[in-house]
Amino acid sequence: MNKVTTTIQQALLAMGIIIAAHGCKVDIDPTDRYTETAIWSNSANMELYINGMYSEFKTFQFGVFPIGYDNATDALSDIEKYTSTVAGNGTVNILATDASRVNSAGPQLNYWQTGYSRIRRLNEFLDGLAKYAKVDEATKKQYEAEARFIRGYVYFWLVKLHGSVILMDNIGQYLTKEHQRASEEDCWKFIAADFAYAAENLPEQQDANRTGRATKGAAYGMLARTWLYAASIAEYDKKQFNQDALTGVNAANAPAYYRNAADAAKAVIDLAAKGYYDLESDYASIFTNKNTKEAIFKLDYVSPQVTHSLDLGFAPPGDAPGQCLVYGVPTAELVNEYEMNDGTKFSWSNAAMAANPYSNRESRFYASILYNGASWKGRTLNTTPGNVTEGFAEYAVTGEPRKTVTGYYIRKMLNPAVNDFVANKSTQSWIEMRYAEILLIAAEARAKLNDIAGAQLALNTLRNKRGLPNTPASTAAALMTAIEHERKVELSFEGHRYWDLRRWRKAHIVLNNVRFTGHRITPTDDGFKYEVVNCDNMNRQFTPALYYIPIPVSELQNNAALTQIKGW
């Protein structure tokens, strides 16, 4: 691991606190500089410090991943297609079609140094808190809980990528640069311990002046997510894809970990029963209503100080002709997944459905997808090839088409009431965790525990709120199929699909040797013709080795004890 030079002093300097360099320890605190004692005896300093640590969640806002450039990881999956072929906007397409681009020498899918820099700063905070803080025990525990909540999140990403990583939980460990990876199972347990401590010591609701900070529900939610991932690896991996001694999770522990996930999800459901969370009747409003009760943990934005560029990046070109970037668009594989409004599966083989494919679909379809004929911001979208502004463009004909290459645009999370996003950017909240995800975790964990009734209850609670009938699934296997579908639709464009396929160990099947599609829609005398066209110009590649991303070679060079994950 690289020596991380960011220190507690630098962190506080960034927040406007001037700290002189430390000299030798003396009996009398110097009067011309801040000492550690002085720093931690000031509660305002601690507030500034821990509040600044929450910026780490912006690294993954709106489902992006910093792969040398912010690209949506959903575009590595079957539900979204990025339109560009050029490195930068199109880096995600390069990675999706060339597995060799992911290697220990390159920056792709690399969060190692950034993640460990944040971990060090959090550990410095925890060290100072324990040694010097002049606050009561309850306040101290809450600060520790927040720091461990953030640390758990950082490690969650590192372990999702690499499986086996270095565990650092105290400042003393930084006295040496030589550290070997811990086992993947111990890593998941470490993350779970951080979230469990946070859940025990965080309040059910933060004070108004702490809006956006972690709560008990957020910690339990992250704990449920963590155990679900650990259980999935235990069940599905079974050392089939990597023979490294430190990767993988003992298959015998899968039931216990699914039980842990179910229990943590139930803790959030219990908080919902107390009025803290709920599902929204209007699915589209979830993502533009800053007060939505579906949000368990979210990042808020306030213009003009703190904004983002979601609308500029994904709105259809007619919203701001010549300026919209149209980074990514939905695939036909996702569009076809949305059910009819009566719960019937959509099929192009059904003549009536094929004649009017965008009629009578479920409510989430209309809240998530902009299609030919959709009403949007006072106009009717025309995605036929003849429309020069926002009509279909064949992928790879131009490097940056800034138009749909599938016949569709993303509707979900865009703000339908805003037209000045080019100048003023966007302020929709990024919801890191929603109550809907908790119900889906509960459904999956209970299905795996053969609690059919419990799984059905969680799944049907969500489906009914979305205007759909109960699932007909009545076996664990059928429920799992239904849950996979539900996660694909409900959580689309929220950054889950690629990681779901990886934890289920299906990515090498779904994302390999295949080209995803869109629809070229052309007018006819009696309606429209819908032609299936590839939106990939070469086959996707996902090799089994990609279930464990290699550690950057620079880290191995700086840490003699660190070994590369086997197979890389």
Side-chain angles (χ1 to χ4, degrees), residues 201-434:
N201 292 285
L202 286 171
E204 293 180 351
Q205 187 173 33
Q206 290 278 12
D207 296 337
N209 62 343
R210 291 184 172 212
T211 300
R213 303 271 279 269
T215 61
K216 189 177 293 292
Y220 273 124
M222 293 293 188
L223 182 60
R225 187 190 281 179
T226 297
W227 282 124
L228 186 71
Y229 269 74
S232 298
I233 305 304
E235 178 180 2
Y236 295 112
D237 186 75
K238 297 178 181 176
K239 302 298 291 183
Q240 300 174 80
F241 309 103
N242 188 281
Q243 296 306 308
D244 190 287
L246 295 173
T247 62
V249 177
N250 188 343
N253 291 333
Y257 294 166
Y258 280 125
R259 170 56 61 191
N260 291 345
D263 289 345
K266 184 180 184 302
V268 183
I269 293 169
D270 290 344
L271 288 168
K274 296 170 70 171
Y276 291 109
Y277 313 114
D278 200 359
L279 296 173
E280 300 284 1
S281 298
D282 182 356
Y283 182 76
S285 72
I286 297 168
F287 308 100
T288 55
N289 174 13
K290 291 184 180 296
N291 297 314
T292 176
K293 296 194 80 172
E294 283 218 19
I296 295 174
F297 185 73
K298 64 185 175 73
L299 302 182
D300 285 329
Y301 300 81
V302 180
S303 182
Q305 297 91 346
V306 184
T307 58
H308 56 81
S309 300
L310 181 75
D311 293 276
L312 178 63
F314 294 92
D319 282 18
Q323 300 181 83
C324 292
L325 302 175
V326 194
Y327 290 143
V329 293
T331 62
E333 282 72 22
L334 175 63
V335 169
N336 296 343
E337 197 79 15
Y338 290 92
E339 299 171 33
M340 305 301 288
N341 59 14
D342 63 357
T344 303
K345 183 176 175 61
F346 173 81
S347 174
W348 286 97
S349 299
N350 182 303
M353 293 180 187
N356 294 286
Y358 313 130
S359 297
N360 302 314
R361 302 292 284 273
E362 60 164 294
S363 62
R364 290 178 297 191
F365 172 80
Y366 300 106
S368 303
I369 308 295
L370 289 171
Y371 53 90
N372 187 61
S375 178
W376 177 248
K377 293 188 177 180
R379 69 185 188 277
T380 299
L381 287 189
N382 180 349
T383 67
T384 64
N387 186 281
V388 297
T389 302
E390 49 199 2
F392 173 86
E394 187 175 347
Y395 176 69
V397 171
T398 59
E400 297 275 10
R402 296 191 176 186
K403 297 168 70 174
T404 180
V405 296
T406 64
Y408 306 99
Y409 292 96
I410 294 173
R411 157 73 174 85
K412 186 176 180 178
M413 294 188 283
L414 298 183
N415 191 337
V418 171
N419 291 300
D420 60 355
F421 55 78
V422 176
N424 296 325
K425 297 191 176 181
S426 304
T427 59
Q428 302 93 295
S429 298
W430 161 242
I431 305 176
E432 170 64 37
M433 175 161 282
R434 290 197 288 123

Side-chain angles (χ1 to χ4, degrees), residues 169-228:
D169 68 348
N170 67 79
I171 292 302
Q173 292 172 288
Y174 294 92
L175 295 175
T176 173
K177 294 192 299 182
E178 296 189 356
H179 300 280
Q180 172 61 308
R181 295 177 283 121
S183 72
E184 181 173 2
E185 188 150 19
D186 283 345
C187 289
W188 289 117
K189 289 178 179 178
F190 182 90
I191 296 165
D194 269 355
F195 287 138
Y197 183 90
E200 182 179 350
N201 292 285
L202 286 171
E204 293 180 351
Q205 187 173 33
Q206 290 278 12
D207 296 337
N209 62 343
R210 291 184 172 212
T211 300
R213 303 271 279 269
T215 61
K216 189 177 293 292
Y220 273 124
M222 293 293 188
L223 182 60
R225 187 190 281 179
T226 297
W227 282 124
L228 186 71

Side-chain angles (χ1 to χ4, degrees), residues 535-548:
C535 62
D536 291 324
N537 64 337
M538 59 184 72
N539 287 353
R540 299 285 183 113
Q541 287 186 0
F542 188 102
T543 61
L546 290 175
Y547 286 122
Y548 291 103

Side-chain angles (χ1 to χ4, degrees), residues 2-283:
N2 277 345
K3 180 179 180 181
V4 183
T5 59
T6 303
T7 65
I8 183 173
Q9 288 83 7
Q10 290 172 307
L12 293 172
L13 275 169
M15 294 178 282
I17 300 170
I18 301 174
I19 301 173
H22 283 284
C24 297
K25 182 178 179 182
V26 294
D27 294 329
I28 300 173
D29 287 342
T31 58
D32 62 342
R33 69 196 69 176
Y34 278 101
T35 65
E36 287 180 320
T37 304
I39 293 167
W40 296 107
S41 64
N42 186 330
S43 60
N45 289 349
M46 289 190 287
E47 274 292 300
L48 284 168
Y49 196 115
I50 196 64
N51 197 48
M53 294 296 99
Y54 280 89
S55 64
E56 197 63 31
F57 291 95
K58 291 184 179 179
T59 304
F60 306 103
Q61 64 186 358
F62 299 102
V64 305
F65 190 95
I67 47 181
Y69 197 87
D70 282 352
N71 285 166
T73 51
D74 276 338
L76 289 171
S77 79
D78 54 346
I79 69 171
E80 184 178 2
K81 174 66 181 179
Y82 260 45
T83 62
S84 172
T85 62
V86 180
N89 291 340
T91 295
V92 69
N93 288 325
I94 296 170
L95 295 180
T97 55
D98 185 356
S100 71
R101 294 299 186 104
V102 177
N103 55 69
S104 60
Q108 293 86 2
L109 296 174
N110 180 6
Y111 177 57
W112 189 279
Q113 186 171 3
T114 300
Y116 277 104
S117 294
R118 184 67 68 179
I119 288 165
R120 173 156 188 167
R121 292 176 66 187
L122 288 161
N123 284 339
E124 287 170 338
F125 177 85
L126 290 167
D127 183 68
L129 181 70
K131 292 178 179 177
Y132 308 112
K134 305 297 184 182
V135 293
D136 61 69
E137 195 61 28
T139 302
K140 185 180 290 188
K141 285 184 176 181
Q142 182 165 330
Y143 276 130
E144 180 179 352
E146 288 190 84
R148 292 182 66 174
F149 176 85
I150 301 167
R151 188 176 69 181
Y153 181 81
V154 175
Y155 266 119
F156 182 82
W157 273 100
L158 287 167
V159 176
K160 277 204 301 185
L161 286 163
H162 306 287
S164 165
V165 301
I166 300 169
L167 296 179
M168 306 286 283
D169 68 348
N170 67 79
I171 292 302
Q173 292 172 288
Y174 294 92
L175 295 175
T176 173
K177 294 192 299 182
E178 296 189 356
H179 300 280
Q180 172 61 308
R181 295 177 283 121
S183 72
E184 181 173 2
E185 188 150 19
D186 283 345
C187 289
W188 289 117
K189 289 178 179 178
F190 182 90
I191 296 165
D194 269 355
F195 287 138
Y197 183 90
E200 182 179 350
N201 292 285
L202 286 171
E204 293 180 351
Q205 187 173 33
Q206 290 278 12
D207 296 337
N209 62 343
R210 291 184 172 212
T211 300
R213 303 271 279 269
T215 61
K216 189 177 293 292
Y220 273 124
M222 293 293 188
L223 182 60
R225 187 190 281 179
T226 297
W227 282 124
L228 186 71
Y229 269 74
S232 298
I233 305 304
E235 178 180 2
Y236 295 112
D237 186 75
K238 297 178 181 176
K239 302 298 291 183
Q240 300 174 80
F241 309 103
N242 188 281
Q243 296 306 308
D244 190 287
L246 295 173
T247 62
V249 177
N250 188 343
N253 291 333
Y257 294 166
Y258 280 125
R259 170 56 61 191
N260 291 345
D263 289 345
K266 184 180 184 302
V268 183
I269 293 169
D270 290 344
L271 288 168
K274 296 170 70 171
Y276 291 109
Y277 313 114
D278 200 359
L279 296 173
E280 300 284 1
S281 298
D282 182 356
Y283 182 76

